């Protein structure tokens, strides 16, 4: 009998697993495929509560600001996770974008955020490979990134080293409430537990009915091979453009990620010429030398989104059944804080005030 079974080993399930181990909870994580190979694998690993901020989403901002520094603790216990603290430059590609970005800058300043406005020359001093045609931009030094794929790998191996149980390639089809405990079943096995959390990201309703709506937002991305002669980047580069749409360039040690589309296409995971063309066009406008870089990989992921784009921890009253989902474009940014608070909820402890409003009850 386990104290806790986690169904789903993306970043959400794996961060819960880490916290459970650190709280001496007897825990089992079950995944339908290899752990960490779903949407979390497809992400860019930006920890960007400020750059992801939309007006009216200040609750997400403050949750993100509280969550991101936990990665220092992650780095300490897991070792190298590709944590890069150089910060993020959000650049204006046109005069119109600059007007928009300046308003965003004022808005962020008024919220007390640590942001600086850089003119073109200051931007080029920070990142010489940026296009000389830019119109200025915002620098945020607290917007970090991790290597999402490395982090997922490290979380899994750290958990196994700490005697956690992980079962892969077992799709959970059903769960039951018994008098004294709960059970979950795959096609040929059943496991008993006192508490159960579903952290399955997006799953089509016909495959696993759930008591909430989480729908997929498709993100196409690609990576190019670093080549120091053609491109050196220290920071994450982002842009929100009126003409070309939003995008980013995220330098990792072994790849440079160019992203991403944001499409409402249901369960469709096709990679399209138009999607990749859009990404390349805007990234090329910001950093022209990507033109000659070798393409490494092209992929697609489905961001699990709720109608209001807010994540949640949902507790089924009295039944010790929880759901943690809806992390949309912020799974890496928010998971450390939410996982800590999930354990607090499990132990009936006081929740952090930044998370309270994201906790719902059935
Ligand atoms: C293109 C793109 C870029 C992104 N960039 C960023 C970024 O820079 N920063 C950021 O913070 N976020 C980013 N995100 C968002 C982030 O990736 C997601 O919010 C996050 O990965 C969601 O994690 P999850 O654990 O909920 O889901 P997943 O990673 O999908 O994990 C769910 C797991 O549950 C398992 N599962 C499902 N059904 C079952 C079942 N029946 N039985 C057993 N297991 C099951 C799956 O196999 C899977 O392993 C990005 C997303 C995309 C698509």
């Amino acid at each position: 009998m386990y104290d806790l079974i986690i169904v789903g080993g993306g970043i959400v399930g794996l961060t819960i697993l880490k916290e459970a181990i650190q709280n001496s909870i007897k825990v089992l994580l079950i995944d339908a495929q290899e752990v960490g190979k779903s949407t979390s694998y497809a992400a860019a690993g930006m920890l960007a509560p400020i750059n992801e901020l939309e007006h009216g989403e200040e609750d997400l901002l403050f949750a993100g600001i509280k969550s991101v520094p936990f990665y220092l603790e992650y780095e300490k216990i897991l070792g190298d996770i590709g944590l890069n603290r150089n910060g993020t430059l959000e650049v204006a590609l046109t005069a119109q974008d600059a007007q928009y970005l300046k308003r965003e800058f004022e808005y962020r300043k008024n919220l007390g955020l640590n942001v600086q406005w850089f003119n073109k020359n200051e931007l080029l001093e920070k990142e010489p490979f940026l296009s000389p045609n830019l119109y200025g931009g915002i620098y945020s030094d607290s917007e970090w990134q991790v290597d999402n794929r490395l982090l997922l790998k490290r979380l899994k191996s750290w958990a196994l080293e700490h005697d956690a149980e992980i079962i892969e390639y077992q799709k959970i089809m059903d769960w039951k409430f018994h008098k004294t405990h709960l059970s979950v079943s795959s096609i040929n096995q059943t496991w008993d537990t006192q508490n159960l959390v579903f952290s399955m990201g997006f799953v089509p309703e016909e495959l696993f009915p759930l008591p909430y709506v989480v729908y997929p937002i498709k993100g196409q991305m690609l990576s190019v091979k670093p080549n120091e002669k053609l491109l050196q980047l220290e920071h994450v580069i982002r842009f929100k453009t009126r003409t070309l749409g939003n995008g980013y360039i995220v330098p990792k040690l072994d790849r440079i990620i160019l992203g991403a589309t944001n499409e409402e296409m249901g369960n469709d995971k096709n990679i399209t010429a138009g999607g990749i063309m859009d990404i390349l066009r805007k990234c090329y406008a910001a950093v022209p030398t990507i033109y000659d870089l070798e393409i490494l990989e092209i992929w697609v992921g489905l961001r699990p989104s709720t109608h209001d784009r807010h994540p949640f921890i949902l507790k089924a009253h009295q039944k010790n059944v929880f759901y943690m989902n809806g992390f949309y474009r912020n799974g890496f940014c928010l998971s450390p804080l939410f996982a800590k608070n999930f354990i607090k909820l499990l132990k009936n402890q006081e929740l952090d005030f930044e998370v309270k409003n994201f906790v719902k009850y059935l």
Side-chain angles (χ1 to χ4, degrees):
M1 170 87 71
Y2 294 94
D3 296 332
L4 175 66
I5 289 183
I6 303 165
V7 179
I11 187 61
V12 176
L14 285 168
T15 50
I16 297 174
L17 182 66
K18 167 191 164 288
E19 296 298 328
I21 294 167
Q22 289 178 312
N23 282 274
S24 308
I25 291 170
K26 187 170 159 55
V27 60
L28 166 67
L29 186 148
I30 305 173
D31 201 293
Q33 52 172 325
E34 189 182 339
V35 158
K37 282 290 165 74
S38 188
T39 301
S40 303
Y41 192 77
M46 292 173 291
L47 309 172
I50 299 178
N51 278 279
E52 294 291 353
L53 175 64
E54 300 281 349
H55 294 244
E57 288 189 347
E58 288 78 9
D59 51 353
L60 281 175
L61 168 74
F62 294 119
I65 287 175
K66 174 115 180 175
S67 187
V68 170
F70 288 126
Y71 277 104
L72 295 171
E73 176 210 325
Y74 277 55
E75 191 181 43
K76 222 178 200 170
I77 68 159
L78 301 176
D80 181 20
I81 51 171
L83 182 64
N84 175 326
R85 294 194 270 151
N86 292 342
T88 295
L89 292 168
E90 191 174 359
V91 300
L93 303 185
T94 63
Q96 201 184 358
D97 294 342
Q99 292 304 318
Y100 164 75
L101 214 51
K102 275 199 175 130
R103 266 193 297 106
E104 284 297 298
F105 173 69
E106 292 305 326
Y107 167 56
R108 294 175 195 179
K109 269 258 174 287
N110 289 337
L111 284 169
L113 301 173
N114 186 16
V115 285
Q116 283 171 269
W117 182 263
F118 282 179
N119 64 27
K120 184 173 78 177
N121 291 338
E122 288 167 325
L123 282 178
L124 287 171
E125 213 168 284
K126 279 247 169 221
E127 285 294 6
F129 284 84
L130 280 171
S131 162
N133 300 325
L134 297 176
Y135 286 75
I138 304 173
Y139 173 55
S140 334
D141 68 355
S142 57
E143 300 281 274
W144 304 346
Q145 59 150 316
V146 284
D147 184 329
N148 53 310
R149 294 180 180 180
L150 186 58
L151 170 66
L152 294 162
K153 210 166 106 182
R154 292 261 193 263
L155 278 166
K156 176 180 166 185
S157 46
W158 179 86
L160 291 172
E161 279 160 24
H162 288 78
D163 297 330
E165 286 183 63
I166 296 178
I167 297 178
E168 297 179 312
Y169 302 104
Q170 285 283 347
K171 187 184 226 161
I172 297 304
M173 319 283 275
D174 197 13
W175 67 274
K176 282 198 174 61
F177 185 59
H178 307 276
K179 264 193 185 145
T180 55
H181 66 281
L182 300 151
S183 64
V184 286
S185 311
S186 68
I187 199 154
N188 54 7
Q189 278 194 63
T190 297
W191 297 267
D192 293 333
T193 180
Q194 292 298 335
N195 298 282
L196 177 57
V197 59
F198 293 99
S199 49
M200 305 196 296
F202 167 70
V203 274
E205 209 190 336
E206 60 277 16
L207 292 188
F208 201 102
L210 292 162
Y212 53 76
V213 177
V214 164
Y215 65 97
I217 304 284
K218 175 177 169 181
Q220 301 186 51
M221 296 232 277
L222 67 151
S223 61
V224 288
K225 193 170 173 183
N227 177 330
E228 290 215 338
K229 280 194 198 135
L230 292 171
L231 177 60
Q232 290 173 38
L233 286 178
E234 301 285 327
H235 305 83
V236 173
I237 310 295
R238 299 185 63 132
F239 28 86
K240 277 187 190 154
T241 80
R242 303 285 297 173
T243 43
L244 296 172
N246 303 345
Y248 44 74
I249 302 174
V250 187
K252 313 271 182 209
L253 273 186
D254 60 349
R255 64 198 190 278
I256 300 169
I257 294 178
L258 312 179
T261 64
N262 225 354
E263 305 165 65
E264 297 224 14
M265 292 292 290
N267 205 7
D268 166 44
K269 288 187 86 175
N270 289 331
I271 292 171
T272 61
I276 299 305
M277 182 174 72
D278 281 349
I279 295 169
L280 287 173
R281 257 199 316 191
K282 52 200 170 190
C283 292
Y284 171 67
V287 178
T289 55
I290 62 156
Y291 193 90
D292 288 313
L293 296 180
E294 184 186 335
I295 289 182
L296 284 178
E297 195 186 343
I298 302 183
W299 67 93
V300 65
L302 299 177
R303 304 174 184 88
S305 175
T306 55
H307 290 305
D308 65 1
R309 304 279 155 95
H310 280 48
F312 58 82
I313 307 176
L314 180 66
K315 180 178 188 323
H317 267 310
Q318 312 299 333
K319 291 194 178 169
N320 299 340
V321 180
F322 302 82
Y323 303 87
M324 202 154 126
N325 210 324
F327 284 80
Y328 182 41
R329 56 183 198 259
N330 291 307
F332 284 85
C333 178
L334 294 174
S335 284
L337 177 67
F338 275 66
K340 283 186 195 296
N341 277 271
F342 169 75
I343 300 293
K344 288 184 180 182
L345 191 64
L346 203 64
K347 294 175 142 187
N348 284 320
Q349 292 171 349
E350 179 74 13
L351 301 179
D352 292 329
F353 78 90
E354 292 88 349
V355 175
K356 272 184 183 159
N357 285 341
F358 297 99
V359 179
K360 316 278 178 214
Y361 297 89
L362 260 185

